[in-house]
Amino acid sequence: MSEPKAVVELAAKELMGPGVTHCPHPRMPLWSGHPKVFIDVASTGEGRCPYCGTVYRLVYAVAGLLYQAGCNILDSQQFGDLEGDDATGLFFMRVHFEAPPHLADAPTLERLFEHVRQQFAMDVRFHAVAQRSRVLLMVSQHGHCLNDLLFRWKSGQLAVDIPAIVSNHPAFARLAESYGIPFHHLPIAKDGPGGPAEAKRAQEQQVMTIIERERVGLVVLARYMQILSPAFCNALKGRAINIHHSFLPSFKGAKPYYQAHARGVKLIGATAHYVTADLDEGPIIEQDVARVDHSLSAEDLTAVGRDVESVVLARAVRWHVEHRVLLNGHKTVVFR
């Protein structure tokens, strides 16, 4: 029987010493390419700046601790955000390893890493590979992303559990039933006694009740066409993903692909990002584009857009549930 597998995410803070704003090494970028490049740079004796010295010790400490504990590292990726005026100066590391049975639970591993965590001021999270994420899908009246995710889940391409589907419209109740997933129709009564704002708060509270009851770890807005309240966005920080076309800030409002067709665009695309109170401006996880031309009708452009949206959202969801996405301020680090 193979040993349990786990993934550990590490994010070390404030690794640059006083007065050091970047790594002065001429061999840039340090963190892109094969790990051998990193080893070669370290072996030259040039890695003596406060930042790199700390990184070398951190990588050694993590790998050494896992080795001493009898773990087997299967994959290790790392990235230092150093370049540009918007650099955060953070170092990110994702380690996939096998652990012996007596270490194969998060609390035990957290105790094992406590000294190293404090030494390097790291945020550390452990995830058991065998533990599937519980995902809530939300949709309105466009079902292509919902249908794509359900097919990937049913066919084993997306290793998650889907305990519920929520919609403000009843259109996809039959689709949910065909997959054996509970469907919750939660409309927003715009003419209620408290007005639209109160109706939205009441509906979002119903959604939050489902999230808590079903122990949901990720909410996916699979073309859910409602603006979420700031309070709801904050409650789901880092665990809600949205998908939209990549024309923004152009072609806002209804039928964006028809607007794009009228302007004769040559590229269309989609963006998957984490949900924040700033509408459609959360940290981006994945994007893709498709080339189009004059021969396509507005309906053809819309069909291409649906395909791109479905693929981009599926990638973002898979990378999130595989713990490959780490938040880096207003950006993300995605270890593929």
Side-chain angles (χ1 to χ4, degrees):
M1 180 179 296
S2 62
E3 294 182 323
K5 295 181 176 63
V7 173
V8 56
E9 302 171 2
L10 308 170
K13 297 181 178 179
E14 300 175 358
L15 294 184
M16 290 187 285
V20 178
T21 58
H22 67 284
C23 173
H25 290 170
R27 301 185 183 187
M28 296 298 289
L30 270 177
W31 313 107
S32 65
H34 195 277
K36 185 181 295 183
V37 175
F38 176 76
I39 295 172
D40 287 345
V41 171
S43 67
T44 64
E46 297 173 358
R48 293 173 181 169
C49 73
Y51 180 89
C52 287
T54 304
V55 167
Y56 297 160
R57 293 194 301 271
L58 187 155
V59 173
Y60 175 83
V62 171
L65 187 59
L66 290 172
Y67 170 76
Q68 292 170 9
C71 300
N72 177 36
I73 295 178
L74 303 174
D75 178 67
S76 179
Q77 296 174 282
Q78 58 202 50
F79 170 75
D81 186 8
L82 303 177
E83 292 295 295
D85 295 336
D86 61 341
T88 61
L90 297 180
F91 175 76
F92 298 87
M93 187 176 182
R94 178 185 185 270
V95 183
H96 181 196
F97 63 93
E98 292 177 329
H102 68 281
L103 290 179
D105 65 86
T108 302
L109 289 168
E110 288 169 358
R111 289 193 296 270
L112 178 69
F113 270 81
E114 181 58 24
H115 176 71
V116 173
R117 186 193 67 78
Q118 293 185 12
Q119 179 183 1
F120 294 98
M122 297 187 301
D123 293 328
V124 183
R125 292 184 295 273
F126 294 92
H127 309 280
V129 172
Q131 184 174 347
R132 293 160 66 99
S133 296
R134 295 176 64 80
V135 178
L136 174 70
L137 303 180
M138 299 184 68
V139 65
S140 289
Q141 298 190 84
H142 299 286
H144 52 282
C145 288
L146 173 67
N147 194 50
D148 181 81
L149 290 171
L150 290 175
F151 173 78
R152 292 174 189 269
W153 164 73
K154 190 67 173 180
S155 60
Q157 300 177 52
L158 186 60
V160 300
D161 293 329
I162 304 176
I165 297 171
V166 169
S167 179
N168 56 325
H169 296 276
F172 297 108
R174 293 284 297 275
L175 178 64
E177 182 182 3
S178 71
Y179 280 97
I181 299 175
F183 182 85
H184 301 270
H185 176 215
L186 303 179
I188 301 175
K190 297 182 179 180
D191 55 352
E198 181 59 34
K200 181 179 288 289
R201 280 193 293 270
Q203 191 253 16
E204 289 181 345
Q205 184 55 55
Q206 290 178 292
V207 177
M208 187 57 68
T209 298
I210 295 172
I211 291 172
E212 294 172 352
R213 184 181 68 234
E214 299 294 343
R215 297 172 288 109
V216 168
L218 175 67
V219 174
V220 178
L221 307 185
R223 293 305 305 270
Y224 180 71
M225 308 304 290
Q226 287 290 317
I227 298 176
L228 305 183
S229 69
F232 197 53
C233 292
N234 292 333
L236 296 177
K237 182 179 180 180
R239 58 192 188 109
I241 296 176
N242 185 36
I243 184 73
H244 61 75
H245 63 82
S246 290
F247 297 132
L248 296 175
S250 301
F251 311 140
K252 295 181 179 180
K255 294 189 173 183
Y257 294 104
Y258 281 72
Q259 298 178 50
H261 180 266
R263 286 291 302 276
V265 302
K266 306 306 180 189
L267 284 175
I268 60 176
T271 296
H273 62 88
Y274 285 115
V275 174
T276 65
D278 296 322
L279 181 63
D280 293 332
E281 295 184 8
I284 295 171
I285 305 170
E286 173 62 342
Q287 294 177 296
D288 206 348
V289 296
R291 183 165 291 281
V292 295
D293 60 32
H294 62 277
S295 67
L296 300 181
S297 67
E299 291 81 4
D300 293 333
L301 257 66
T302 303
V304 173
R306 286 196 296 261
D307 289 343
V308 178
E309 289 172 2
S310 298
V311 170
V312 168
L313 181 59
R315 288 178 190 156
V317 171
R318 179 166 61 86
W319 291 339
H320 177 94
V321 300
E322 291 178 353
H323 310 291
R324 297 181 180 276
V325 187
L326 283 73
L327 284 169
N328 181 23
H330 297 296
K331 304 178 289 185
T332 62
V333 174
V334 182
F335 290 125
R336 301 187 184 185

